[in-house]
């Protein structure tokens, strides 16, 4: 039987994952508005990945006999100063999510909830990857800050990102 505090914490994380998807869709729309189609595409895939994260939590909570309660999703920001600022926002957001995952793990340890602890291990690795991929774009944009065609080249590269549906997770 799932502890009620853990059930509430997982429902909060479901909300956080959907918000993440909403945030990245907003970033995608921003990039569309300034005609950076590759950046927009990268964010759309990021948004889709967040929905698979949401689904993992949803399915886990249901499998453990918990009740999914969907709450209101906050409105994300809709404008940024520059493309670099958007990716810096991605990184700070992912760092925040990493902190949320760590808190969930702390709670699972406190409750001796081994099943939830095991389930959360996947997210530890995922967060390392999420932070690294945002930082990679940031570093690339900074390196090309004085190169007039740099942003155009980065935009083309980001268009290559492919969404790979995770095994066992459907939307
Ligand atoms: Fe669901 Fe980007 O962490």
């Amino acid at each position: 039987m799932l502890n009620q505090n853990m059930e509430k914490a997982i429902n909060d994380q479901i909300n956080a994952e959907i918000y993440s998807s909403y945030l990245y869709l907003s970033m995608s729309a921003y990039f569309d508005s300034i005609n950076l189609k590759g950046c927009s595409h990268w964010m759309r895939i990021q948004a889709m990945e967040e929905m698979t994260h949401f689904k993992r939590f949803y399915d886990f909570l249901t499998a453990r006999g918990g009740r999914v309660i969907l709450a209101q999703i906050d409105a994300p920001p809709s404008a940024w100063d520059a493309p670099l600022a958007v990716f810096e926002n991605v990184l700070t957001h992912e760092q925040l999510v990493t902190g949320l995952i760590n808190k969930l793990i702390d709670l699972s340890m406190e409750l001796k909830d081994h099943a939830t602890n095991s389930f959360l291990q996947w997210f530890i690795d995922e967060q390392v990857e999420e932070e690294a991929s945002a930082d990679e774009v940031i570093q690339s944009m900074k390196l090309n800050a004085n190169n007039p065609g740099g942003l155009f080249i980065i935009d083309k590269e980001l268009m290559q990102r492919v969404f790979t549906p995770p095994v066992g997770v459907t939307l």
Side-chain angles (χ1 to χ4, degrees):
M1 179 83 185
L2 196 62
N3 176 283
Q4 279 190 339
N5 289 344
M6 183 54 85
E7 183 176 28
K8 165 80 170 67
I10 293 176
N11 268 312
D12 288 347
Q13 190 62 32
I14 284 173
N15 187 275
E17 299 293 347
I18 298 175
Y19 174 79
S20 296
S21 187
Y22 215 34
L23 173 65
Y24 296 138
L25 275 176
S26 184
M27 290 174 173
S28 179
Y30 165 77
F31 280 125
D32 277 329
S33 77
I34 58 172
N35 215 25
L36 286 172
K37 298 294 180 190
C39 293
S40 171
H41 170 77
W42 192 97
M43 290 298 173
R44 284 287 282 265
I45 289 181
Q46 190 74 7
M48 286 162 73
E49 283 197 354
E50 296 302 341
M51 290 308 282
T52 68
H53 296 173
F54 141 72
K55 189 72 180 356
R56 277 180 194 270
F57 280 105
Y58 182 113
D59 289 349
F60 177 76
L61 187 52
T62 303
R64 296 285 312 280
R67 171 80 163 90
V68 172
I69 304 286
L70 298 178
Q72 183 171 335
I73 309 296
D74 291 338
S78 56
W80 290 263
D81 290 340
L84 175 60
V86 185
F87 281 93
E88 286 174 337
N89 192 172
V90 174
L91 181 57
T92 54
H93 182 71
E94 289 302 332
Q95 288 166 338
L96 184 143
V97 173
T98 299
L100 296 176
I101 298 290
N102 288 341
K103 278 188 184 159
L104 278 173
I105 290 170
D106 289 346
L107 182 61
S108 74
M109 290 165 77
E110 192 185 311
L111 296 171
K112 296 186 171 45
D113 181 348
H114 302 295
T116 302
N117 187 279
S118 173
F119 165 75
L120 290 168
Q121 297 304 309
W122 182 89
F123 284 94
I124 295 177
D125 298 336
E126 177 68 3
Q127 284 310 120
V128 171
E129 198 182 305
E130 292 270 76
E131 289 186 27
S133 63
D135 194 46
E136 194 179 321
V137 181
I138 290 168
Q139 297 313 321
S140 186
M141 283 187 170
K142 284 183 174 171
L143 272 174
N144 282 280
N146 297 319
N147 172 6
L151 189 56
F152 179 74
I153 293 165
I154 293 167
D155 192 59
K156 287 264 176 259
E157 282 171 1
L158 296 187
M159 185 58 98
Q160 304 308 313
R161 186 176 183 187
V162 174
F163 174 67
T164 310
V167 178
V169 180
T170 52
L171 288 178

